[in-house]
């Protein structure tokens, strides 16, 4: 199957749903980098996240891309540095400039597609980025065309929302998987993953869920990191759910969240690239992740999680997509974004076509009032 592409907000760029997270290429010899990058290009992967600050990996990726640089969207980070030859974060403007300009030099390019405000996980980090001129630097780079869009990376939904509300961000890289989504937003998912199996999973955290809807509403694209939870979700022994998910299930979960355009899968070989893009060849049944989260149906009752368990629809309504657009419209029915209405109206079959057969409601694990939702969507968006 060919790569599926999704638009990155209003940037004019589109990203493949499978992207490359390049962190595992750090410290690898050139032949490994070349093999991985070339395999990604051969499989039509066109977006790469490159946060690593070391010159070696940057030069190797630039060399491997060669004349194909123009064929990929690069997420480059402002604030990722390797002071004292160790990975670090800086909010010093002079240091940030040195490393970001060094990124372009190392890659052999004069532009970066998405300049990312790096690791906005705390209010302090964002306030420093504002006070120290880092945000202004990103805006200046965009004005000059040195970057095509401004992005940010975060693991904290509350801080991420604050950054997005500035209105300057076109794309957010965020950590999304079922375990993280069911972790209360006040917890640091990076620090508490070891203890996730001890917590009581009850529902998708509303703060995270609202963040995704907000991004869709504001036409801010999301690229996903931690899709596999650092590999833990692929192992029954290490997964907090005590059930192993497949890569396809993890990828599909992320891609069904509102506003998500691409999953940045960490790879370090052609074989791993092939395994990642194999998602495009999997069936709906193979992507079904309901056996992982179905134990929480009581707490999620009535809320669509866009899992497509309700399919097939006899009149071919994309029920999950209609529910997604309806959820975003319900955030503020007085100010429904025109883009959401346009997306809804571009569906080949809409909520207005529902024949109220009830097949979907019989299959829904969460007792979502699908027929009522289809009627409401037709009323608000049709």
């Amino acid at each position: 199957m060919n790569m599926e592409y999704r638009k990155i907000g209003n940037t004019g760029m589109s990203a493949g749903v499978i992207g490359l997270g390049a962190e595992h290429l750090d410290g690898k010899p050139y032949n490994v980098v070349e093999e991985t990058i070339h395999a990604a290009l051969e499989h039509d992967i066109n977006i790469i996240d490159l946060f690593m600050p070391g010159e070696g990996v940057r030069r190797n990726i630039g060399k491997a891309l060669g004349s194909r640089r123009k064929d990929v969207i690069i997420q480059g980070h402002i604030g990722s540095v390797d002071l004292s030859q160790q990975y670090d974060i800086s909010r010093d403007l002079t240091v940030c400039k040195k490393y970001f300009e060094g990124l372009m030099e190392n890659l052999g390019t004069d532009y970066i597609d998405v300049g990312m405000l790096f690791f906005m996980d705390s209010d302090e980090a964002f306030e420093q980025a504002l006070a120290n001129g880092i945000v202004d630097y990103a805006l200046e780079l965009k004005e000059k065309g040195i970057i095509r869009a401004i992005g940010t990376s975060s693991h904290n939904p509350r801080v991420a929302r604050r950054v997005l509300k500035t209105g300057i961000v076109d794309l957010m890289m965020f950590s999304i998987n079922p375990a993280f989504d069911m972790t209360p937003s006040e917890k640091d998912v990076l620090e508490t993953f070891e203890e996730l199996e001890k917590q009581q999973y009850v529902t998708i955290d509303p703060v995270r869920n609202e963040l995704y809807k907000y991004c869709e509403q504001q036409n801010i694209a999301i690229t996903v990191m931690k899709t596999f939870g650092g590999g833990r979700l692929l192992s029954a022994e290490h997964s907090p759910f005590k059930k192993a998910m497949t890569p396809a299930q993890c990828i599909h979960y992320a891609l069904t969240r509102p506003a998500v355009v691409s999953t940045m899968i960490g790879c370090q070989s052609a074989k791993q690239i092939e395994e990642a893009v194999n998602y495009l060849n999997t069936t709906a049944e193979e992507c079904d992740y309901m056996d992982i989260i179905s134990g929480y149906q009581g707490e999620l009752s009535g809320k669509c999680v866009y899992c497509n368990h309700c399919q097939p629809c006899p009149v071919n309504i994309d029920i999950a997509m209609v529910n997604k657009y309806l959820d975003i419209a319900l955030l503020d029915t007085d100010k429904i974004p025109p883009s959401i209405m346009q997306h809804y109206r571009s569906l080949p079959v809409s909520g207005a076509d529902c024949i109220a057969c009830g097949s979907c409601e019989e299959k829904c694990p969460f007792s979502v009032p699908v027929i009522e939702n289809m009627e409401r969507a037709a009323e608000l968006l049709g």
Side-chain angles (χ1 to χ4, degrees):
M1 184 180 293
N2 295 327
M3 179 64 72
E4 173 191 340
Y5 296 92
R6 298 181 179 182
K7 292 181 179 179
I8 302 177
N10 295 317
T11 65
M13 296 181 282
S14 293
V17 295
I18 305 298
L20 175 61
E23 69 271 22
H24 296 307
L25 297 178
D26 201 5
K28 297 296 189 296
Y30 176 71
N31 66 301
V32 172
V33 177
E34 181 184 53
E35 173 192 323
T36 306
I37 295 294
H38 286 189
L41 293 171
E42 288 168 11
H43 286 88
D44 297 322
I45 288 175
N46 78 327
I47 183 167
I48 299 175
D49 181 71
L50 205 174
F51 80 86
M52 305 83 70
E55 289 189 10
V57 65
R58 292 174 167 188
R59 291 188 186 280
N60 282 341
I61 290 174
K63 181 180 177 182
L65 285 173
S67 63
R68 299 288 303 276
R69 160 68 185 97
K70 64 183 183 302
D71 297 332
V72 298
I73 297 165
I74 293 178
Q75 293 183 170
H77 295 253
I78 304 171
S80 175
V81 302
D82 63 350
L83 302 177
S84 303
Q85 296 186 334
Q86 292 182 346
Y87 160 69
D88 204 345
I89 300 169
S90 176
R91 308 300 179 197
D92 180 279
L93 180 58
T94 301
V95 175
C96 289
K97 282 184 175 182
K98 172 187 174 183
Y99 278 87
F100 192 74
E101 291 167 7
L103 170 63
M104 290 185 283
E105 180 183 349
N106 297 155
L107 289 175
T109 186
D110 58 0
Y111 72 99
I112 296 295
D113 301 275
V114 187
M116 307 287 288
L117 301 174
F118 184 57
F119 215 95
M120 293 291 117
D121 272 25
S122 67
D123 288 314
E124 180 183 13
F126 183 46
E127 286 159 8
Q128 288 177 339
L130 287 169
N132 296 353
I134 294 170
V135 171
D136 288 338
Y137 174 58
L139 289 167
E140 179 185 348
L141 290 174
K142 186 177 180 181
E143 183 178 352
K144 292 180 177 178
I146 296 173
I147 62 176
R148 300 171 65 187
I150 295 176
T152 189
S153 63
S154 181
H155 307 83
N156 185 312
R158 183 183 55 79
V159 177
R161 181 77 172 262
R162 183 182 173 196
V163 177
L164 300 185
K165 281 191 170 183
T166 63
I168 68 168
V169 173
D170 304 293
L171 177 150
M172 172 181 70
M173 185 164 73
F174 198 71
S175 51
I176 300 179
N177 61 59
F180 283 5
D181 273 0
M182 291 187 180
T183 301
S185 58
E186 63 270 15
K187 291 183 176 290
D188 184 337
V189 291
L190 296 182
E191 292 185 359
T192 60
F193 209 128
E194 295 286 352
E195 301 180 4
L196 291 184
E197 62 184 278
K198 302 175 185 178
Q199 72 182 41
Q200 183 64 44
Y201 289 86
V202 293
T203 188
I204 294 175
D205 178 66
V207 177
R208 295 175 71 93
N209 202 28
E210 291 301 304
L211 174 65
Y212 309 150
K213 293 178 185 178
Y214 177 80
C215 287
E216 184 87 55
Q217 180 192 52
Q218 300 298 316
N219 210 15
I220 299 168
I222 300 175
T223 54
V224 177
M225 56 182 162
K226 308 296 183 184
T227 310
F228 304 151
R232 293 175 185 269
L233 295 178
L234 306 180
S235 165
E237 179 183 356
H238 297 104
S239 170
F241 296 112
K242 297 308 179 185
K243 295 179 182 179
M245 294 183 74
T246 66
Q249 287 174 323
C250 292
I251 292 170
H252 191 64
Y253 178 86
L255 289 174
T256 54
R257 300 309 91 195
V260 169
V261 299
S262 186
T263 52
M264 313 303 288
I265 308 301
C267 300
Q268 54 182 309
S269 68
K271 180 181 178 181
Q272 290 181 357
I273 291 288
E274 291 169 5
E275 290 171 348
V277 298
N278 188 54
Y279 165 76
L280 298 165
N281 300 315
T282 52
T283 65
E285 290 75 17
E286 291 171 324
C287 292
D288 186 2
Y289 50 79
M290 288 310 302
D291 63 326
I292 305 298
I293 66 174
S294 59
Y296 312 104
Q297 57 190 25
E299 292 79 3
L300 289 171
S301 181
K303 301 175 183 178
C304 182
V305 297
Y306 323 121
C307 68
N308 279 318
H309 224 257
C310 52
Q311 298 288 11
C313 168
V315 295
N316 296 317
I317 298 173
D318 188 338
I319 297 170
M321 193 63 71
V322 173
N323 274 327
K324 190 180 295 186
Y325 293 147
L326 175 62
D327 284 346
I328 294 161
L330 291 175
L331 291 176
D332 187 347
T333 56
D334 292 328
K335 296 181 180 179
I336 300 173
S339 61
I340 296 302
M341 300 184 77
Q342 291 169 3
H343 291 327
Y344 172 79
R345 292 170 183 173
S346 69
L347 294 173
V349 186
S350 71
D353 297 297
C354 176
I355 60 175
C357 67
S359 171
C360 49
E361 294 189 354
E362 290 176 4
K363 290 178 285 190
C364 179
F366 300 131
S367 303
V368 174
V370 178
I371 296 172
E372 179 184 329
N373 284 0
M374 296 302 103
E375 294 175 351
R376 191 74 192 280
E379 175 191 341
L380 287 177
L381 302 170

